[in-house]
Amino acid sequence: MNRIEIDYCTQCRWLLRASWMAQELLTTFADELDEVALKPGRGGVFAIHLNGERLSDRAADGGFPDLPLLKQAIRDRIAPDRDLGHSDARRAPGA
């Protein structure tokens, strides 16, 4: 079972950003994801986990995740042979 959890800060009003990312991930990985959960938090949190593994943390990474890179990280873990089309054109340096 593949589960994405997006922790977002309600004080910062990041629900819209979190829900947009959830929509993008559900659209891209419609057949691979079983669940995408939005988890309200406080204190500036914005973190994304896949099956308990942290993929992104705004505070630790110095900003919000770049969506194509996030999609690549998810794809690499749950569907490594999958082509992401235009999202693959922006591969991280050294990847």
Side-chain angles (χ1 to χ4, degrees), residues 3 5 27 33 49 52 58 66 68 79 81:
R3 180 179 193 269
E5 181 177 291
T27 300
L33 290 177
H49 295 82
R58 187 195 63 80
D66 182 60
D81 296 328

Side-chain angles (χ1 to χ4, degrees), residues 19 27 34 46 76 83 87:
S19 60
T27 300
D34 299 298
F46 197 92
D76 292 349
D83 178 22
S87 289

Side-chain angles (χ1 to χ4, degrees), residues 3-10 14-27 29 33 35-42 44-58 64-65 67 70-71 74:
R3 180 179 193 269
I4 297 278
E5 181 177 291
I6 302 174
D7 301 312
Y8 68 95
C9 178
T10 57
W14 287 337
L15 173 59
L16 186 59
R17 181 184 300 262
S19 60
W20 169 72
M21 286 198 169
Q23 176 184 336
E24 284 288 325
L25 297 176
L26 284 167
T27 300
F29 299 105
L33 290 177
E35 180 180 5
V36 175
L38 300 179
K39 185 177 172 188
R42 300 175 69 80
V45 66
F46 197 92
I48 300 174
H49 295 82
L50 170 64
N51 300 329
E53 176 189 358
R54 182 182 65 87
L55 298 180
S56 175
D57 184 321
R58 187 195 63 80
F64 291 102
L67 191 58
L70 178 64
K71 287 181 179 182
I74 293 169

